[in-house]
Amino acid sequence: MTDKNIIAEAGSINPFIDGAVRTDPSRRYLVTVKPGDPNDPANPSEDNTLYDATSAAGEEAVLIYRNYVPNIGADRTGDVGLPRVTLHLADGSTLQGEEACAAMSAGTDPLGIPFVPADTYETLRANFEPARETPAFRASYGTAFLFQCDFQGNCENNPPRNTAFYANADNQYLYSFLNQDFGDVVVIRGKIPGIPETLNDQEFFNENDLRYWSLCQNEYYSQAVKECLYDEQVFINPDGFYTIVTSEPENRPENADSDCGVGYLPWPDKGDGFSIVDGKTDDPDSAFLIVRNMLPADDFNQAIQNTMTAGDEASVLGDFMPKATYMSKAEFEDLGCAPYTSLAYDQL
């Protein structure tokens, strides 16, 4: 359920509607979560109602509440706290707090980690390197196609679009496997779509190309996120493109900082995070980049959501498609304090 589609309670406003006054403190809502299949014609479409995709009583459902970036000075919830939950029982009584959690056997263990059994991944990793000497950014078509393409080298067919990496109706991703065997430093360039500025407590909310964009360094196997740069954090060079460097901290070039117009992401210290499984060892040279596009506008055609066939990413995204190259620390430092001038996007 997307925030802008939630109808606020009487006397309140939804701050995510285009043109809304974000600073209005009256922002109350009430959402009902019901059992059932949202695609079942027998389940009526009701305002502020979310079906949990279960088909039988007692079947487990997963509810994820996503907050991304609060205003500067606000806490993780945007200073509104977490939603309060009330469980309505068949006899008309209600439960809240820990009593409601106990009645639903609610838990918070992460689901779907890891993606694949350890022995399968170990065999794939030992026989094929998923990173490319020229880093390849691909739209996510699900785990099965990722293994076929990135771990077996067969990227030719037209797979169905299945979500992975916690993608959903609002979020889609590009990903790229990296490996330090090709170079100590990875340089990424591209354009960021138009984003509504909200970080500094702007009074009004105005839609743009995307709601949110980010580039994150991740451990592939454990799915742990090392660190991210999001849209309003990224410095845009005079040519209109960003320049972002990722490396191990000891290999960070001296000119990979904001003074030189360069963003920086540290390499994941556990590489692929394979040691999440007892007895398995990490590949510290590997890394996994993810680019997020969240809530594209209907008329923004260059979003990841508009890719349709594996391999069409560059033609759909145009200049918003990231490009990357490997370098040594010394090579990047030799570019000086305006490295973008030697890293033209169309020549990467």
Side-chain angles (χ1 to χ4, degrees):
M1 180 175 290
T2 305
D3 50 29
K4 64 182 181 180
N5 295 332
I6 296 173
I7 298 173
E9 290 193 326
S12 291
I13 62 103
N14 183 333
F16 296 102
I17 293 175
D18 192 27
V21 182
R22 299 178 65 239
T23 53
D24 189 324
S26 302
R27 304 192 296 267
R28 299 180 65 86
Y29 66 89
L30 178 67
V31 165
T32 301
V33 181
K34 291 184 176 181
D37 182 353
N39 299 312
D40 187 342
N43 293 327
S45 176
E46 302 175 77
D47 291 337
N48 289 12
T49 299
L50 184 65
Y51 287 97
D52 69 5
T54 59
S55 58
E59 185 177 345
E60 187 179 63
V62 179
L63 186 66
I64 297 178
Y65 175 72
R66 295 181 186 235
N67 275 6
Y68 282 83
V69 179
N71 290 355
I72 289 176
D75 66 19
R76 292 184 182 185
T77 73
D79 286 343
V80 300
L82 292 173
R84 290 187 296 175
V85 178
T86 301
L87 175 63
H88 293 257
L89 301 174
D91 63 5
S93 61
T94 60
L95 298 173
Q96 291 185 322
E98 293 298 327
E99 289 184 332
C101 289
M104 292 186 289
S105 301
T108 57
D109 290 336
L111 299 176
I113 299 174
F115 282 132
V116 65
D119 290 343
T120 302
Y121 173 70
E122 191 169 44
T123 299
L124 290 168
R125 191 178 74 171
N127 288 287
F128 199 92
E129 171 54 55
R132 302 290 183 268
E133 188 170 2
T134 298
F137 285 86
R138 311 183 197 280
S140 173
Y141 284 89
T143 302
F145 184 73
L146 181 149
F147 286 139
Q148 172 192 310
C149 179
D150 295 283
F151 284 92
Q152 296 175 314
N154 178 10
C155 305
E156 297 303 319
N157 69 359
N158 186 20
R161 193 59 160 275
N162 293 315
T163 59
F165 321 123
Y166 289 104
N168 65 7
D170 294 336
N171 287 282
Q172 288 294 334
Y173 304 106
L174 296 175
Y175 69 88
S176 182
F177 285 95
L178 304 176
N179 195 298
Q180 291 182 117
D181 284 345
F182 297 118
D184 297 332
V185 170
V186 179
V187 185
I188 307 118
R189 302 214 70 209
K191 284 188 174 181
I192 295 178
I195 303 291
E197 294 184 355
T198 59
L199 192 60
N200 290 304
D201 210 22
Q202 282 86 347
E203 184 175 6
F204 289 94
F205 181 85
N206 295 300
E207 288 281 9
N208 216 308
D209 295 336
L210 296 180
R211 171 72 66 80
Y212 179 82
W213 178 99
S214 66
L215 175 68
C216 299
Q217 262 287 24
N218 305 260
E219 298 171 4
Y220 171 70
Y221 193 80
S222 72
Q223 299 183 57
V225 181
K226 174 65 178 181
E227 196 163 325
C228 297
L229 290 172
Y230 59 84
D231 41 64
E232 291 191 67
Q233 289 180 315
V234 178
F235 185 86
I236 305 303
N237 298 135
D239 63 355
F241 294 83
Y242 59 81
T243 305
I244 295 174
V245 161
T246 182
S247 71
E248 290 187 339
E250 59 266 32
N251 290 326
R252 179 176 181 172
E254 292 186 2
N255 53 341
D257 61 17
S258 58
D259 289 341
C260 295
V262 180
Y264 180 74
L265 285 172
W267 202 268
D269 49 10
K270 292 186 177 180
D272 60 356
F274 198 25
S275 64
I276 193 175
V277 179
D278 289 342
K280 303 300 182 182
T281 58
D282 299 319
D283 178 359
D285 290 327
S286 74
F288 191 64
L289 281 179
I290 291 181
V291 180
R292 173 185 282 105
N293 278 194
M294 177 178 172
L295 277 173
D298 291 341
D299 60 355
F300 180 59
N301 298 320
Q302 291 168 286
I304 298 169
Q305 283 84 341
N306 294 313
T307 58
M308 301 296 293
T309 303
D312 70 354
E313 295 87 355
S315 63
V316 172
L317 272 69
D319 288 350
F320 303 111
M321 177 75 173
K323 292 184 180 180
T325 187
Y326 290 95
M327 304 181 75
S328 69
K329 177 182 177 180
E331 285 173 330
F332 191 83
E333 289 178 340
D334 286 345
L335 300 180
C337 198
Y340 78 92
T341 59
S342 301
L343 296 166
Y345 175 81
D346 58 5
Q347 294 179 11
L348 289 181

